[in-house]
Each structure stands twice: as structure tokens, then as C-alpha cells.
Amino acid sequence: MKYRFLILLSLFFIDPVAADVCATGDLGVVIEREPGNVLIINTTQHKQLGKIEKLGDLSHASVVFSRDQRYAYVFGRDGGLTKIDLLTDSVAKRILQAGNSIGGAISQDGKLIAVSNYTPGGVKIFSAESLEQIADIPAVYDDGKLSKVIGLVDAPGQRFVFSLFDAGEIWLLDMRTPAAPALQKFKNIGKQPYDALITPDGRFYIAGLFGESGLALLDLWSPESGVKKILPAYGQHDEKLPVYKMPHLEGWAIAGDYAFIPAVGRHEVLVITTDTWKLVKAIPVAGQPVFVMARPDGRQIWVNFAFPDNQQLQIIDAKDLTIENTLKPGKAVLHMEFTPRGEEVWVSLRDDNQVVIYDTATLAEVKRLPAQTPSGIFFSARAHKIGL
Amino acid sequence: MKIFILSAMLSSAVAAPPPEPARQQALRNLLKHDCGACHGLTLKGGLGPGLRPADLADKSNEFLTATILRGRPGTAMPPWNRFIDKSEAAWLVEILKNPQP
């Protein structure tokens, strides 16, 4: 590994083409789930620039970017935390920080990386520069049990927010003084929070609940008011449909005054107002929604689905809250990522071994790129967005 | 004659023929990626419990087959009987307990 890195470095310095000045604002990465590889891609040229191989178990891997957009931090399922240099196509640092890991976040100032773990349940904080451990926050509940941690996001004020799946708690971690992490716990927030998000302004943290209806809402402008339940009664007494893949709340689909979220156990996308958190409409869709993502201008909401409806994509028109179009891109649509201003979207097709790029205005296919069992797609524009 | 039929039925219930090769591959893909969404690509567990041989050692094949087919109410485990029949579920339990090296 070290040799390869040295060889790459020497190529980089010798080869005059590779040594050309290069920027990173239109770069991104695609996770190859089964082989555990990361593809480095360019969103302007629609092409693959490099491949970092064998980073362990990258099922459910997610990525954050350094604020200079040079480095991608990849959070692997097996606890691997890898810092990839997008300019040299190489691994800058790599550690194994836990046994079973689910996601991560980067701090407001870009200096801290937080990772949420299933085993051992908790959050660890690392230096973004060196990946040296700075803090360990075990998710202890009920006199010593450790909970799986989900829904970890960054929040303004050098804070991180996350939820405890087994304990039904939300924790707010203040890292302004790295040597003395300050923790505020909110208990009894609801059963089995399965994922969470933060609004793009960093104000509201919302955890979806699997074990009961509704969502848990924390207003970070007034945490002293505690966590409140929103949509508590929706679908409370209805039989739930089976969920073959957990929905994700990553990103926050917002358009005007509305937020769009996946229902759980119902084939619906819920539209709620962001001032009073009341349900406006439940839009029937093709299956159990997994990702519900707004195009950056908020005009379209793109939705993909759990097995067995995962060959489809539906596009909601945010103007009249109806399904504008249904696409069938291919087998096992896992993830989508919009270009920074939303003229195109990249979609991963796990079982077709392809990434397909669409023009979001015409819905015409722009290109298909080969990728081995692609899952997550992440563009470097995330570097400058709260909660991503 | 009656006894013979009964015993034949019993033995067929115990050892159903394995799925066709193409179906085996589809089931393995389902196991890796769709079951793996919760149980992990390497089946060491995620939001759902681990499914490695050691994790399953104290659970009967009948219990595990029924769990696949009917799910576990009160947990995130859904029923898979719309997509997998009983003999296929039994085969999946078999390969979970005795994975190929």
C-alpha cells in the first residue's frame, strides 16, 4: 500500500500532465459497494478520474469533504475511516476506528471528524488533519448498555447531534473545547430513531422513528425547550406495509415552505410545513420511499424506493405536489446526487453495474458510466453545506 | 403403502431440492445486498443482528426459516414470503449456517 502511494506520488511529480493545476469543486466520489472501492469522478466531464481500491466493507458507506474540497472522508461499515486525496488519487490516511460503523460528519470549522458507531455504540471524534482520536463518547443508557448511534450531523457552533437507536434519545455534543466535550441528552424522544437530518440552516434536527409514528424535532435555537413530537397521529392505527429497506433522511428535501419526508411502512411521501410542522399532503408513490431529495432549486423532488420497487424513480413537482414523472433507470436504484446547481443528477444502479446521469429539466439520459455495484454518490459541493 | 407415502412426504419436507443455479445466484445476491442492507454486507450485523454461523448456532432451522418467511413483528424484520418460498428460505438458512469457504 505504502509502495503504491509512493509510486503514485512520484508519477504525480514526474508526469507533467498529471502535475497540471487542478481544482476540486466539480469532483466527487462513487462508492463501489461490493468490492469496497471508491471511484473519483468529475461532474463536468462526466468521467471517472481514478479508483481507490479495497477499502474494506463499504456497504452503506458515506462521505464528507474537507472544506478545501481536496479530501474525501469515507466512513466504512467495518469501522474504517479513510481520508482520500482527490488530487493525487491516493489514500492520505486510513484507520480502523470501530467494529461496526454507520456514518459520519465534519465540524463547522472543518477540523473535526465525527463517526457514529453501532459496535461499540457511540461517537468518536478525530482530527480531520491526522485522524488522531480526540474524544470518545460511548452511547451509554440504562446503567451501562451501549446503544447503536444513528443520524449523526454537524450543527453550527462546533456541535454534533445524533440519536440513540436502542435508547430512544437525542444527544447534542458541543466540541468548542475539544479537550472537554460538553454533552446534553434528550431522553424519551420516541422509539427506535432510525435516521435523522438537520435543516440547511442548521436550526432543526429531526429524527425519524421506526418504532412508533411521528418524528422527533429539536430546535437548536432553543434546546432548553426540549424535543417535541411532530405528526404523532399520522397512520398511527393503520397496518404498516413491510419495509424492505430503511428510509434515509440524509439531506433535507425543502421547497418553499414545505419539507418532504419518506413515510415509514406506507407508500407515501409526506409534505409538511416548516413553520408549524403540520401535514399538508401525503403523496402516493410507487413503493416504500428511501431517499426523498430536492433538486437544489427546490422545484423537483426525486424519490427512490426500497426492494421490490427499486427499479424506479419518481419525480414530484413541488409546485402542485403531484408526481410529474416516473423513470425506470435500471436495476436497484440505490442513491442519487444532484450537481451543485441541479442541472443534472447522478443515479447509482447497483444490479446494473452502472451510474446513469440525467438532465433534470428534460429527464433525458446524458450518459451511463460503468461502476461495480455502485451505491452512494457524493459530490465535493457538500463541503460547504451544513449537515452534509 | 400409506406408511410409505407418509415417510416419503416427511423426507421431502426435511430435504427439499435446492433451488436451480440461476435462482441460487439471485438468492445469494438478495442475501448479500438486500438482507445485507440491515444485517451488513458481510452479515456481521448492522441495524439488524449478525447472521454469521456463530450468531445462528443456537437457533433452529425451523425458527430461522419462519423468521425469513414471516418476519419478526415488533422489529424491523419484514416478511419475505412474497418473494421467497419455504424451500428457498430453508436453503438460505442452510447456506447461512454452512457458508462456502
Side-chain angles (χ1 to χ4, degrees):
Chain A
M1 196 65 207
K2 214 164 207 171
Y3 277 117
R4 191 172 160 260
F5 180 48
L6 287 174
I7 291 163
L8 271 172
L9 265 183
S10 61
L11 279 174
F12 179 72
F13 286 117
I14 294 161
D15 182 348
V17 177
D20 276 353
V21 174
C22 178
T24 52
D26 59 357
L27 301 188
V29 299
V30 175
I31 304 293
E32 290 191 322
R33 172 184 162 86
E34 196 172 332
N37 302 336
V38 172
L39 308 180
I40 298 172
I41 54 87
N42 180 297
T43 57
T44 307
Q45 299 163 1
H46 301 135
K47 75 175 192 191
Q48 180 184 324
L49 304 177
K51 185 196 283 196
I52 312 287
E53 291 185 279
K54 297 199 168 56
L55 295 181
D57 181 354
L58 293 190
S59 59
H60 206 283
S62 62
V63 175
V64 299
F65 293 89
S66 62
R67 70 196 266 167
D68 63 8
Q69 296 179 316
R70 176 170 178 173
Y71 299 101
Y73 297 88
V74 181
F75 306 100
R77 187 55 164 269
D78 55 3
L81 168 57
T82 310
K83 181 178 179 180
I84 291 175
D85 186 339
L86 300 174
L87 285 180
T88 58
D89 294 351
S90 62
V91 172
K93 287 257 164 32
R94 175 170 163 80
I95 58 168
L96 265 180
Q97 56 82 36
N100 198 329
S101 176
I102 191 65
I106 188 163
S107 63
Q108 185 175 36
D109 68 359
K111 290 180 180 163
L112 303 174
I113 298 290
V115 192
S116 57
N117 294 319
Y118 283 167
T119 318
V123 168
K124 287 183 181 172
I125 311 287
F126 300 90
S127 154
E129 173 66 33
S130 66
L131 298 191
E132 274 166 40
Q133 186 170 313
I134 288 173
D136 183 9
I137 318 288
V140 181
Y141 74 111
D142 277 5
D143 299 330
K145 280 194 270 183
L146 287 179
S147 172
K148 299 182 186 95
V149 173
I150 55 88
L152 168 68
V153 299
D154 61 288
Q158 284 293 97
R159 290 179 296 178
F160 293 104
V161 197
F162 50 91
S163 299
L164 279 58
F165 176 79
D166 306 291
E169 299 181 9
I170 292 175
W171 289 12
L172 179 56
L173 173 65
D174 187 329
M175 289 298 297
R176 265 176 297 191
T177 311
L183 201 54
Q184 194 177 353
K185 299 177 184 176
F186 301 88
K187 300 192 174 182
N188 303 312
I189 60 108
K191 280 186 206 140
Q192 294 176 319
Y194 65 88
D195 198 7
L197 56 80
I198 191 163
T199 48
D201 57 6
R203 176 170 179 182
F204 295 105
Y205 177 83
I206 299 177
L209 301 173
F210 188 82
E212 61 183 81
S213 59
L215 303 111
L217 171 81
L218 175 63
D219 181 353
L220 295 173
W221 287 13
S222 44
E224 65 285 355
S225 317
V227 171
K228 76 172 186 182
K229 197 79 178 288
I230 57 176
L231 303 186
Y234 185 69
Q236 201 174 11
H237 303 296
D238 301 346
E239 181 100 4
K240 273 192 180 181
L241 296 168
V243 176
Y244 293 99
K245 181 177 169 67
M246 281 284 190
H248 284 58
L249 297 176
E250 173 223 87
W252 175 247
I254 239 171
D257 300 328
Y258 295 148
F260 297 75
I261 53 169
V264 183
R266 306 175 70 95
H267 295 177
E268 292 171 348
V269 168
L270 307 180
V271 186
I272 55 181
T273 58
T274 52
D275 49 358
T276 56
W277 308 105
K278 295 282 187 292
L279 185 71
V280 176
K281 188 175 179 183
I283 303 172
V285 291
Q288 166 66 54
V290 175
F291 284 100
V292 176
M293 301 175 92
R295 199 172 66 179
D297 65 342
R299 180 60 205 274
Q300 294 174 339
I301 315 298
W302 288 57
V303 187
N304 77 329
F305 303 99
F307 176 90
D309 302 302
N310 54 0
Q311 71 284 10
Q312 304 168 81
L313 268 176
Q314 288 194 308
I315 299 138
I316 296 169
D317 182 344
K319 196 168 145 195
D320 56 12
L321 307 183
T322 56
I323 303 285
E324 168 191 320
N325 233 305
T326 301
L327 300 177
K328 295 209 167 165
K331 282 187 243 158
V333 176
L334 284 200
H335 195 220
M336 48 207 157
E337 177 86 336
F338 292 95
T339 49
R341 298 191 189 202
E343 84 288 357
E344 287 175 353
V345 64
W346 290 45
V347 176
S348 55
L349 306 174
R350 184 193 68 204
D351 291 353
D352 276 340
N353 295 307
Q354 279 177 344
V355 170
V356 55
I357 305 167
Y358 287 104
D359 177 317
T360 62
T362 63
L363 304 185
E365 243 184 75
V366 176
K367 194 165 183 182
R368 285 186 184 242
L369 296 172
Q372 206 179 334
T373 60
S375 54
I377 306 175
F378 307 89
F379 295 161
S380 64
R382 287 173 174 250
H384 302 150
K385 289 184 185 148
I386 293 169
L388 292 182
Chain B
M1 191 60 188
K2 261 183 189 165
I3 290 166
F4 170 76
I5 291 169
L6 186 66
S7 69
M9 281 170 66
L10 275 176
S11 67
S12 78
V14 172
E20 296 297 315
R23 181 63 184 157
Q24 285 192 19
Q25 204 185 336
L27 287 169
R28 282 185 188 276
N29 194 56
L30 187 88
L31 181 64
K32 187 182 288 169
H33 293 294
D34 295 296
C35 305
C38 283
H39 298 284
L41 187 76
T42 57
L43 300 174
K44 70 175 180 184
L47 215 49
L51 301 179
R52 292 166 299 189
D55 302 313
L56 304 178
D58 63 341
K59 296 180 175 65
S60 74
N61 288 23
E62 290 71 25
F63 170 80
L64 293 169
T65 303
T67 300
I68 293 173
L69 293 173
R70 297 205 287 271
R72 293 281 292 278
T75 76
M77 177 67 181
W80 291 85
N81 53 9
R82 274 174 63 200
F83 314 104
I84 298 172
D85 71 23
K86 194 175 174 185
S87 64
E88 291 170 340
W91 180 78
L92 280 171
V93 168
E94 201 57 47
I95 63 164
L96 282 171
K97 285 196 164 183
N98 305 291
Q100 286 165 354

